[in-house]
Amino acid sequence: MIQFILGSAVALPLYHIFNRYIARQTNKRHINEDLNYVRSGDNNVNFLSDIISRLWSNLRVAVSARIRKTIEPILEEMGLPLKLVKVDLGVTPLRFENIVVRELQKSSDEAGYFKMNMDMVWNSTCDIQLKGDHLIPKFGIANITFSGRMQFVFNPLSDVMPCIGGIQIAFVDPPDIHLDFTGIAAFANSHLITDIIDEALNSTLEKMMVLPNRMLYKMDPTCDYLKMHLPPLGIARITARNGWGFKVQKGTFKDDVVDVYLKISLGNRTCQTKTIKNNLSPTWDESMDFLLSSHDQKVTIEAWDEDDHVLDVDDFLGSTVLTAGNFLLSSGSGYAKIPLQIENKDCGNHVALNCQLCPLSSKLKSYQMPPSDHDKNHLGGLVTIIVVRAINLPVPKEEAASCVKITYGRTKLATGVVAYVPEYDGLAGYDPLNPDYDATFQIPLNYEHMQLDRTSRIKLELVNGKKVIGTLELSHADLMAAPNTTISETRVIGGGASLQFCVAITGFESGTLQEKASFVHSRNTGTPDINHETSQHSTYVNLNIKENNQQQQVRVTVLSGNGFEPIQKTFKTDIPDVYCKVKYGSNPKLWQTSTIRNSFTPVWNEFKEYELFHHNQVLNVEVYDANKRSSDELLGSFHVTVEQVLLQGGILEIELTMEAKPIGTFIKVQCDQISVTKTRLDS
């Protein structure tokens, strides 16, 4: 599957060239009819989905075999007496939507990398059958519904084929998975079995490939895994300021003034504020910390009314979900006013929160001790443990089945097991006696970790089967004394074997907001004033853009250009007459600026407004020199997401490229979020 996606990414430009050629052949009606389906909608998305649909009869067999090899050992490890009797994934193929390829980034060693995000969606009638012992009759799964946003990191890049060292794959957030079981309701405790299967599936995915965990596929078997590692963006510190609009709850015997607390989740971590008793306008003034790996990660905010009685459950008061990038943009240097919803409708309850991104730092002063052992919401830093490989395992090759176990305080982790597989013997990059583990573990430091004294140790244990080959330990004092608080080396671990690893400890800078004053804030022109605002600057986040006659838009402004040079014509040197063509997202219409005559530094200050569905929508801009007697000449182009512009303060100067090479000419664009009364967009 990974090879297929990479091949598709390489073939994508060829597809566009072919598609344009076909479009010109209007006299070849039968060819155009065959291509109608391929050319409908977003070409990039249809291209990948179309290839998968053509390959699905093959992929479903290969993926079914892989599922068996993966799931059965997990069921055995969990002690479940279940066997997969049949795995048929059905005739409905996977499809991909909303593909965004990020700009090229430079890594610390200047090798460079880039990211590609896409939504994976699958709803298929299938035939998966499981059989248990005499207590558990045969049952099955008749339908699978699966959706999630995936991130592919192509890193590191090089000038030697295959030009990509490896691909790291992860779901940005835990995917939504729903299984329809059949033949299981006939016996007692059936829900326990289905719950265990759901839990096994979700926990396995989370450990393997939900951020910050990534699954690795090496394109180059010799690639150094340490060069592939990408640290998190930082620590997202979310501060819950206050709430308003909460109402008295009607009870059977008496009315209840709500006791409000918030639950906030990001990634696999959930934090909770204190409960404010008997208050319709609660103030918390509490912060909490989360590890942030992608701006696309979702932040879930829930409000609850706490019930003191043992038999009562807490009452749901509303929630909302937004991306971390959207949250950072909306917070700026103040608080975002967020409306809560119940069943996708505004319920009148609001909360004010701030989100700031705190960059990681190896400075000793950056480590922060949470106030007490009762404080579960704050982090003190981050420990990163990278296990690369073992060398010279002292066991017969046929008995090799090794892993590395890690212990840090009460935290226990382990790499995957690398075992001898006869059919893999002799393949490039496969050597069970010198196994590549290529595993990264990130441990956010809580109060317990920070309380460990400087002699406390991180233990790495090399294990083959149930036998311990050797152990090495690193103390806090060792890490603090190391350059950049990082130890990266190969050490003898025992039995003649060595272990290559890297361990780093980092704090974070919380005193400043990385993007604080430069954020562009939403302007809400159609929302009435709210009396219970925070005293500090705040921004209204209109998350339900289809409700209350409000529509979320982005104003795209082409500001200016610079770096244009004279164009040599046949009999003269020409000063360019510059204009821009702008395409927004999947909108088929092009917007063209006016032409600025005879200028090396054109200024337009022209804008157009578009409907904003999400911050990953892409601006494609082409710049031309207008000619009276011949066709206009392309001077360069660029593409950028709305989010990339907003995260740079709303204004970004972007270098043009020709044939994927930068040319030293720049265009400055601006993006502003606006919420207006719903009108018909001219787009």
Side-chain angles (χ1 to χ4, degrees):
M1 178 68 78
I2 305 309
Q3 295 96 320
F4 150 72
I5 293 174
L6 179 62
S8 300
V10 173
L12 192 56
L14 299 178
Y15 167 77
H16 284 300
I17 294 170
F18 174 74
N19 208 16
R20 290 171 185 171
Y21 170 79
I22 290 297
R24 296 191 194 104
Q25 313 305 307
T26 54
N27 60 324
K28 299 181 180 179
R29 181 179 176 183
H30 64 285
I31 297 179
N32 283 328
E33 287 176 351
D34 288 344
L35 289 173
N36 277 342
Y37 171 69
V38 177
R39 290 161 58 189
S40 63
D42 183 351
N43 288 340
N44 294 6
V45 175
N46 281 348
F47 176 62
L48 290 173
S49 297
D50 286 348
I51 291 182
I52 284 188
S53 69
R54 306 304 187 267
L55 290 173
W56 187 246
S57 60
N58 304 98
L59 284 172
R60 62 190 280 200
V61 175
V63 174
S64 296
R66 179 57 61 90
I67 288 175
R68 275 193 166 183
K69 288 184 177 180
T70 304
I71 296 299
E72 285 188 340
I74 294 173
L75 295 173
E76 184 178 345
E77 185 178 335
M78 296 179 68
L80 289 175
L82 294 173
K83 294 291 184 182
L84 282 165
V85 178
K86 182 179 181 181
V87 180
D88 183 350
L89 299 180
V91 298
T92 305
L94 294 166
R95 72 179 192 272
F96 294 109
E97 300 175 352
N98 190 24
I99 297 177
V100 176
V101 181
R102 303 290 186 180
E103 292 295 321
L104 185 69
Q105 302 290 325
K106 287 295 184 184
S107 50
S108 57
D109 61 358
E110 297 298 316
Y113 67 91
F114 68 92
K115 300 177 182 178
M116 178 174 69
N117 290 7
M118 66 176 75
D119 294 330
M120 188 173 77
V121 182
W122 189 35
N123 187 349
S124 176
T125 300
C126 59
D127 186 6
I128 299 175
Q129 298 178 18
L130 298 97
K131 184 178 181 180
D133 56 19
H134 64 283
L135 297 176
I136 304 176
K138 187 166 73 172
F139 64 96
I141 299 170
N143 187 270
I144 298 176
T145 303
F146 186 101
S147 64
R149 187 150 185 83
M150 301 189 73
Q151 181 181 89
F152 297 79
V153 181
F154 299 82
N155 178 48
L157 306 180
S158 73
D159 297 330
V160 179
M161 292 296 292
C163 298
I164 298 171
I167 307 173
Q168 298 172 70
I169 310 158
F171 286 99
V172 175
D173 292 290
D176 295 323
I177 306 173
H178 178 72
L179 307 177
D180 288 336
F181 291 93
T182 61
I184 197 168
F187 63 93
N189 298 324
S190 61
H191 66 283
L192 295 178
I193 299 297
T194 58
D195 288 348
I196 288 172
I197 292 173
D198 284 337
E199 174 62 26
L201 183 58
N202 285 292
S203 64
T204 300
L205 272 175
E206 183 175 312
K207 290 176 183 177
M208 292 175 61
M209 54 182 305
V210 175
L211 288 177
N213 301 316
R214 293 184 170 99
M215 181 179 287
L216 168 68
Y217 179 79
K218 280 188 175 181
M219 297 293 293
D220 177 2
T222 65
C223 180
D224 185 353
Y225 180 66
L226 291 177
K227 293 183 178 180
M228 301 177 68
H229 172 67
L230 290 180
L233 298 178
I235 300 294
R237 172 157 288 178
I238 297 175
T239 302
R241 175 71 175 90
N242 66 328
W244 65 94
F246 295 98
K247 303 169 186 64
V248 175
Q249 303 293 300
K250 298 295 182 181
T252 306
F253 302 105
K254 67 174 184 176
D255 294 341
D256 176 40
V257 179
V258 291
D259 307 323
V260 187
Y261 67 89
L262 300 182
K263 280 185 179 179
I264 301 176
S265 302
L266 194 164
N268 58 5
R269 177 173 165 84
T270 298
C271 294
Q272 182 174 317
T273 68
K274 61 179 177 284
T275 301
I276 306 300
K277 298 284 188 178
N278 301 316
N279 199 321
L280 301 180
S281 300
T283 297
W284 296 282
D285 278 332
E286 284 186 66
S287 62
M288 50 201 72
D289 299 332
F290 302 86
L291 188 65
L292 184 64
S293 299
S294 169
H295 287 121
D296 283 345
Q297 285 182 279
K298 293 177 182 177
V299 180
T300 301
I301 302 160
E302 298 177 347
W304 293 84
D305 173 23
E306 184 179 77
D307 285 314
D308 295 329
H309 300 292
V310 176
L311 299 179
D312 290 338
V313 295
D314 295 351
D315 298 317
F316 180 62
L317 299 177
S319 68
T320 195
V321 179
L322 66 165
T323 65
N326 192 0
F327 200 177
L328 286 164
L329 293 168
S330 303
S331 299
S333 56
Y335 288 88
K337 299 184 291 184
I338 301 175
L340 302 180
Q341 299 175 354
I342 297 177
E343 296 181 350
N344 296 320
K345 293 183 179 179
D346 287 348
C347 59
N349 301 333
H350 293 74
V351 290
L353 298 97
N354 171 271
C355 181
Q356 61 173 322
L357 183 59
C358 308
L360 299 175
S361 172
S362 60
K363 297 177 182 177
L364 295 181
K365 66 178 182 180
S366 67
Y367 301 95
Q368 306 185 30
M369 174 69 74
S372 71
D373 58 350
H374 301 295
D375 180 9
K376 308 298 183 183
N377 291 345
H378 289 95
L379 300 175
L382 178 72
V383 166
T384 301
I385 301 172
I386 302 175
V387 181
V388 181
R389 65 175 59 88
I391 304 167
N392 295 328
L393 293 186
V395 298
K397 181 169 67 173
E398 294 75 13
E399 298 176 11
S402 66
C403 69
V404 175
K405 296 182 178 180
I406 298 162
T407 304
Y408 181 44
R410 287 187 288 183
T411 302
K412 296 183 183 297
L413 303 163
T415 69
V417 175
V418 179
Y420 172 70
V421 180
E423 52 264 40
Y424 293 168
D425 205 2
L427 291 179
Y430 174 73
D431 183 353
L433 296 182
N434 297 279
D436 289 337
Y437 302 111
D438 293 341
T440 298
F441 303 95
Q442 292 170 336
I443 306 173
L445 297 178
N446 56 26
Y447 183 84
E448 176 201 340
H449 293 125
M450 299 299 287
Q451 280 289 90
L452 298 174
D453 61 42
R454 291 176 63 85
T455 62
S456 302
R457 296 184 176 274
I458 298 170
K459 184 168 74 171
L460 282 71
E461 195 174 51
L462 180 59
V463 178
N464 191 79
K466 296 182 179 181
K467 179 183 177 182
V468 177
I469 294 175
T471 301
L472 63 83
E473 297 182 349
L474 303 170
S475 71
H476 271 236
D478 295 334
L479 287 166
M480 292 299 186
N484 297 318
T485 59
T486 301
I487 296 176
S488 180
E489 57 188 58
T490 300
R491 285 191 187 180
V492 175
I493 194 170
S498 301
L499 186 69
Q500 183 183 359
F501 66 93
C502 176
V503 179
I505 183 168
T506 53
F508 58 94
E509 304 285 352
S510 64
T512 60
L513 185 61
Q514 187 170 345
E515 292 96 359
K516 62 179 179 180
S518 62
F519 277 118
V520 174
H521 307 302
S522 306
R523 296 194 299 278
N524 186 45
T525 59
T527 301
D529 291 336
I530 298 174
N531 294 327
H532 299 89
E533 296 185 15
T534 63
S535 58
Q536 293 174 272
H537 173 78
S538 59
T539 301
Y540 192 85
V541 182
N542 187 11
L543 298 168
N544 190 6
I545 62 176
K546 297 298 182 185
E547 296 288 337
N548 298 328
N549 204 35
Q550 293 291 305
Q551 191 166 44
Q552 194 77 3
Q553 298 179 9
V554 60
R555 176 178 293 161
V556 177
T557 305
V558 180
L559 296 172
S560 60
N562 67 81
F564 292 95
E565 296 181 349
I567 300 173
Q568 190 65 44
K569 303 288 185 179
T570 305
F571 299 107
K572 66 173 183 177
T573 299
D574 181 40
I575 299 176
D577 305 322
V578 188
Y579 68 90
C580 300
K581 288 183 178 180
V582 181
K583 184 179 183 297
Y584 175 80
S586 58
N587 192 318
K589 295 184 178 180
L590 288 175
W591 161 46
Q592 183 172 315
T593 68
S594 60
T595 301
I596 307 300
R597 302 285 179 184
N598 300 318
S599 178
F600 298 131
T601 56
V603 176
W604 292 280
N605 289 324
E606 298 175 17
F607 68 87
K608 189 173 181 62
E609 293 173 1
Y610 300 92
E611 191 166 357
L612 180 64
F613 295 105
H614 51 77
H615 287 116
N616 285 330
Q617 288 176 282
V618 179
L619 293 174
N620 290 282
V621 179
E622 293 181 339
V623 183
Y624 288 87
D625 172 31
N627 294 311
K628 293 181 180 180
R629 296 182 176 85
S630 61
S631 299
D632 294 350
E633 182 180 352
L634 178 66
L635 300 178
S637 65
F638 69 84
H639 64 270
V640 66
T641 65
V642 173
E643 179 188 67
Q644 286 173 294
V645 180
L646 292 174
L647 285 174
Q648 297 299 320
I651 297 177
L652 186 60
E653 190 172 70
I654 306 165
E655 187 172 8
L656 303 182
T657 62
M658 285 286 284
E659 298 179 350
K661 295 181 180 180
I663 59 175
T665 305
F666 296 84
I667 296 291
K668 185 180 292 185
V669 296
Q670 179 172 337
C671 289
D672 297 285
Q673 290 181 167
I674 53 176
S675 296
V676 297
T677 301
K678 193 183 296 182
T679 57
R680 185 177 179 85
L681 284 175
D682 179 22
S683 57

